[in-house]
Amino acid sequence: MKYLKFFIFLTISLMVFSCSKSDEVVVKAGSSKLTKKELQEDLKSLPPQTKAFLATQEGINRLKDELIKREVLYEEAKKKDLAKSEDFKRRVEEFKKITLINMLLEQELKNLPQVTEKDAKDYYEKNKDQFIKPVEVRLSQIVVKNEQEAKKVYEKIDKGEDFAKIANELSRDEKTKSIGGDIGFFKKGQLNPQIENVAFSLKKGQVSMPLNLKGQLYIFKVTDVKGVPIDFEQIKPQLMEQLKAKKQQEWFQSYIEELKKKYKVEVNEKALQEILNQALIGGKPEQQAK
């Protein structure tokens, strides 16, 4: 439970707390109290869409009830001396670590250049074949017996090997492996519904996760798409969000690599494996070594 934020679904207009003293007590339970300033900080980052609800009397009553719950539970926890427990201290340290990490990332991300409409438009123009509402798709397939064989296929794909070459080497479908797994063009309604749902959700060049069909695993790749182009304005918001997420992910990976070089990193592989064995298998590490 996130005790300090368990009423996160609530927000409120600051007009409700329009008193002049910033440290004025809003809720008190025993020796525990919540001040106006603390509550304002708690509510600062909440979503605006719930403000309308809390503008009503029902909303204010709901907030008041949640605040009372928080303070009486906090008071009871203090009475039981839970703050002195080692578990509490461990959780506080973990919370501090996570909070500091989040603050660092928030700070660094502010310096990251924003994705502009021009960025999205340029990407759209260079990758128009990705933005087509498919009417027909051309598929290639690789058929394997089990997950172990599927893993080999994906390992080769991840290394950048040609799908057709992999199909020729590893596919168990004798009819299509010699032609790189190609099974031709299909319109909606011509495929098994399970295959169709996957095929028409993929973009050109994308590879599916394995589908279990008749006791075998099928891996599909969309090699061509025929359809109607999607207008830029229609997908602009989603495309900008995708590019933003991609930019942040690329930055994060680069940032982590920089930090690895900056700080000396050491991993005790033996200790790590012992802990994992104990946690996942059970028993003491020394027992598992026998």
Side-chain angles (χ1 to χ4, degrees):
M1 289 179 64
K2 298 180 180 178
Y3 297 107
L4 300 181
K5 297 286 185 181
F6 73 95
F7 60 101
I8 194 75
F9 64 95
L10 294 172
T11 188
I12 193 163
S13 151
L14 295 182
M15 292 188 297
V16 175
F17 303 102
S18 57
C19 302
S20 60
K21 296 180 181 179
S22 62
D23 61 346
E24 184 175 358
V25 175
V26 179
V27 178
K28 187 173 183 294
S31 63
S32 298
K33 56 187 177 182
L34 176 71
T35 67
K36 174 187 170 185
K37 185 176 180 181
E38 290 170 336
L39 182 57
Q40 286 175 329
E41 285 298 315
D42 276 342
L43 299 177
K44 192 179 290 183
S45 61
L46 298 183
Q49 59 266 31
T50 55
K51 287 183 180 180
F53 170 66
L54 287 166
T56 67
Q57 189 60 48
E58 180 186 356
I60 294 172
N61 290 339
R62 181 71 175 273
L63 174 64
K64 188 164 46 177
D65 183 54
E66 293 297 330
L67 295 177
I68 291 169
K69 287 177 185 175
R70 186 176 86 163
E71 294 309 310
V72 297
L73 287 168
Y74 179 49
E75 183 71 1
E76 182 66 10
K78 288 196 300 180
K79 284 281 180 65
K80 292 183 180 295
D81 285 332
L82 294 180
K84 296 178 181 178
S85 69
E86 291 302 315
D87 188 38
F88 173 74
K89 294 174 184 177
R90 178 186 61 79
R91 293 191 195 192
V92 168
E93 287 304 312
E94 186 63 25
F95 177 77
K96 284 165 60 178
K97 182 187 291 188
I98 293 170
T99 302
L100 284 171
I101 289 171
N102 288 335
M103 288 178 67
L104 171 68
L105 294 177
E106 287 171 7
Q107 177 179 292
E108 295 298 322
L109 283 171
K110 287 178 183 177
N111 301 321
L112 197 65
Q114 296 298 306
V115 172
T116 65
E117 184 174 329
K118 184 180 183 303
D119 294 331
K121 183 69 173 177
D122 290 345
Y123 185 89
Y124 173 84
E125 293 295 335
K126 292 176 183 176
N127 300 276
K128 279 189 173 180
D129 60 338
Q130 294 183 20
F131 306 104
I132 295 174
K133 186 176 181 180
V135 175
E136 288 184 78
V137 294
R138 186 171 189 171
L139 298 176
S140 290
Q141 68 177 17
I142 296 174
V143 184
V144 294
K145 186 177 181 180
N146 51 44
E147 291 183 6
Q148 188 175 357
E149 291 184 1
K151 184 179 178 182
K152 290 180 181 178
V153 171
Y154 287 110
E155 285 175 351
K156 288 179 175 289
I157 291 172
D158 288 341
K159 290 177 182 177
E161 291 191 30
D162 182 60
F163 190 91
K165 179 174 177 291
I166 302 169
N168 185 262
E169 292 175 0
L170 301 179
S171 182
R172 290 178 172 269
D173 185 60
E174 297 297 332
K175 292 181 181 179
T176 61
K177 65 181 297 180
S178 61
I179 52 174
D182 181 54
I183 56 176
F185 275 100
F186 296 90
K187 296 179 180 179
K188 284 191 174 182
Q190 294 182 322
L191 289 164
N192 173 308
Q194 191 178 354
I195 300 174
E196 183 175 293
N197 288 338
V198 172
F200 281 87
S201 67
L202 296 174
K203 294 178 181 178
K204 182 179 177 180
Q206 288 186 327
V207 177
S208 74
M209 296 298 289
L211 293 178
N212 194 328
L213 301 166
K214 298 179 181 179
Q216 296 189 103
L217 297 180
Y218 285 69
I219 300 166
F220 295 99
K221 178 178 180 179
V222 174
T223 57
D224 201 0
V225 175
K226 293 180 181 179
V228 182
I230 302 172
D231 184 69
F232 172 70
E233 291 298 324
Q234 187 178 345
I235 59 165
K236 181 173 68 174
Q238 301 96 306
L239 181 55
M240 289 182 72
E241 283 300 315
Q242 288 174 16
L243 292 178
K244 179 182 176 181
K246 183 181 178 184
K247 178 177 281 192
Q248 289 181 349
Q249 186 177 25
E250 290 173 349
W251 167 83
F252 181 73
Q253 293 300 329
S254 174
Y255 187 55
I256 291 297
E257 291 306 315
E258 287 178 17
L259 294 179
K260 285 180 182 177
K261 294 174 184 176
K262 183 176 181 180
Y263 300 104
K264 185 178 180 181
V265 178
E266 298 179 7
V267 179
N268 187 330
E269 299 286 353
K270 181 181 178 183
L272 176 62
Q273 191 60 57
E274 286 177 351
I275 292 169
L276 287 174
N277 288 343
Q278 187 176 12
L280 301 177
I281 303 172
K284 296 180 180 179
E286 58 266 23
Q287 291 177 330
Q288 294 170 33
K290 294 178 181 179

